[in-house]
Amino acid sequence: MKRIKISRIAGYAPPTQVSSLEVEERVNRHRAVLPTGCLERLFGVQSRRYAEPGVQCSDLAAEAARKILKDQEPGSIDCLIFAAASSDLIEPATANIVQSKLGLNCAVFDVKNACNSFVTALQLGSSLILSGQFRRVLVTTGEILHHAIQFNVDGPDELPNRLAGFSLGDAGAAALLEVSADETGFVYQTMTSLGQYWNLCTIPGGGSMFPHSPEKMFFEGHTAELRDVFIREKGAIFDECFAASGWRAEDIDHVFTHQVSKNSFDLVAHHIGIPVNRFYRIVSQYGNTASASIPLSMYLAQEEGVLKHGQKIMIIGLASGISISLQLAIW
């Protein structure tokens, strides 16, 4: 069977850097709830990027996509997917706006699956190419997450649900999918969901549950409970992956996983048996950029010469919902 590959990948981070100390200072202006240096100690995040006022999610996606399209014929793109936890607005699809900014003429749609949106779109785009409907699919994402941070914490009782939000940052990314002419490309792709835990990480407002509640427009997360569910449930999906692909943990050159905190790498590495030094990490410089974290880290690894042609990679998507994605590819 023919394989689908990521032929090009790109990332974009807005220029404004915000340190963890600056975030702590902003939170403590309302009420002193964060000890100095606690965010870096808890999450390993030194800084993150915030988009400037007036910049949209579609702008971040388009900036990344332009790096791919600069040497491509616009008419060669058959389908554009915008895949993110964030969006410009509820209707229409943000993909339409990205398409307009890029000047493309193709089918477009949005994919929304929390922090797994981009990796879900990789699997969906691959399937659409294998089905014969499209030849080249451009997957884009643009995450502006700092709007969902509640910086005004009313006291220590509210802090646990708000804390993970202080690690969020903004970024964009894009990847071009097409048929591989050699052995490179995706070898294995799967995803699953544990929907009974959907309420562990949410931005409740803006949908039918809380359509007009401004106080519900902020991120709320029970990250310790998410971690416990992953530890308990992770076994089967990794066992099935290795059994179906014939790969072993020691075969994998690099792991790209959703970047939540520095400690999350140690946790995932321990439970799948892959040394933590094979995990490419950018969380200290960019924070948690939701669905952009995996493609941005892949782009930066390639730019630095760490990710090379022919290497075997594992892509692990972990998201609220709870959603788990696992993909193997030869780069």
Side-chain angles (χ1 to χ4, degrees):
M1 178 177 289
K2 60 186 177 183
R3 290 181 182 172
I4 307 304
K5 69 175 181 179
I6 298 174
S7 61
R8 287 170 177 79
I9 195 160
Y12 175 78
T16 301
Q17 289 186 304
V18 180
S19 71
S20 286
L21 290 177
E22 289 176 283
V23 173
E24 290 164 2
E25 290 171 2
R26 181 171 175 179
V27 172
N28 288 336
R29 283 188 211 127
H30 178 74
R31 187 183 295 266
V33 293
L34 293 178
T36 300
C38 72
L39 294 182
E40 185 172 350
R41 289 194 299 272
L42 288 171
F43 300 107
V45 178
Q46 298 172 358
S47 65
R48 74 283 288 142
R49 307 292 183 92
Y50 286 174
E52 292 294 321
V55 174
Q56 309 301 326
C57 300
S58 57
D59 291 318
L60 302 186
E63 285 290 344
R66 288 187 185 104
K67 296 179 182 180
I68 291 175
L69 295 174
K70 64 182 180 181
D71 59 354
Q72 303 293 308
E73 286 293 331
S76 70
I77 306 301
D78 303 308
C79 178
L80 174 114
I81 304 173
F82 178 82
S86 311
S87 61
D88 282 14
L89 30 72
I90 291 178
E91 188 177 351
T94 303
N96 298 112
I97 304 174
V98 177
Q99 178 189 33
S100 176
K101 291 177 177 178
L102 295 176
L104 297 179
N105 182 19
C106 60
V108 308
F109 59 92
D110 281 4
V111 168
K112 189 175 184 66
N113 191 17
C115 296
N116 274 355
S117 297
F118 194 91
V119 292
T120 298
L122 290 181
Q123 185 169 349
L124 178 57
S126 297
S127 298
L128 288 170
I129 295 173
L130 286 171
S131 74
Q133 294 188 64
F134 301 113
R135 293 178 299 109
R136 306 177 89 211
V137 175
L138 181 63
V139 180
T140 67
T141 185
E143 297 282 18
I144 297 182
L145 303 168
H146 79 270
H147 295 319
I149 303 172
Q150 175 55 281
F151 291 99
N152 297 334
V153 179
D154 288 331
D157 292 340
E158 187 182 334
L159 183 60
N161 289 349
R162 302 296 184 191
L163 192 59
F166 301 140
S167 67
L168 298 175
D170 305 340
L176 183 60
L177 297 175
E178 57 187 311
V179 174
S180 174
D182 52 28
E183 293 301 309
T184 61
F186 289 105
V187 174
Y188 181 86
Q189 294 175 302
T190 191
M191 56 182 167
T192 189
S193 173
L194 303 166
Q196 65 269 35
Y197 303 108
W198 69 266
N199 60 342
L200 292 182
C201 277
T202 62
I203 299 176
S208 61
M209 286 187 180
F210 304 100
H212 307 296
S213 303
E215 73 279 2
K216 295 291 188 180
M217 302 302 294
F218 301 105
F219 177 84
E220 301 174 3
H222 304 272
T223 52
E225 293 178 55
L226 276 174
R227 178 200 62 209
D228 293 342
V229 172
F230 171 74
I231 292 172
R232 186 170 65 248
E233 303 286 350
K234 57 84 191 169
I237 190 169
F238 286 98
D239 292 343
E240 291 169 6
C241 166
F242 288 126
S245 66
W247 287 20
R248 301 167 300 170
E250 54 266 34
D251 296 329
I252 296 168
D253 296 298
H254 302 293
V255 179
F256 298 95
T257 188
H258 176 43
Q259 313 249 337
V260 178
S261 70
K262 182 179 178 181
N263 292 335
S264 66
F265 295 101
D266 296 325
L267 173 70
V268 175
H270 173 72
H271 285 278
I272 65 175
I274 297 177
V276 73
N277 61 7
R278 297 187 192 175
F279 286 68
Y280 188 82
R281 292 172 276 189
I282 63 170
V283 71
S284 62
Q285 297 88 24
Y286 296 93
N288 177 352
T289 57
S291 72
S293 68
I294 289 175
L296 179 61
S297 63
M298 294 172 68
Y299 167 69
L300 293 172
Q302 180 177 261
E303 289 296 289
E304 293 173 13
V306 175
L307 177 58
K308 301 175 182 177
H309 179 78
Q311 290 183 324
K312 293 183 176 181
I313 66 171
M314 173 180 277
I315 300 171
I316 305 173
L318 305 170
S320 61
I322 291 174
S323 171
I324 302 174
S325 170
L326 193 58
Q327 304 184 55
L328 300 177
I330 299 175
W331 193 248

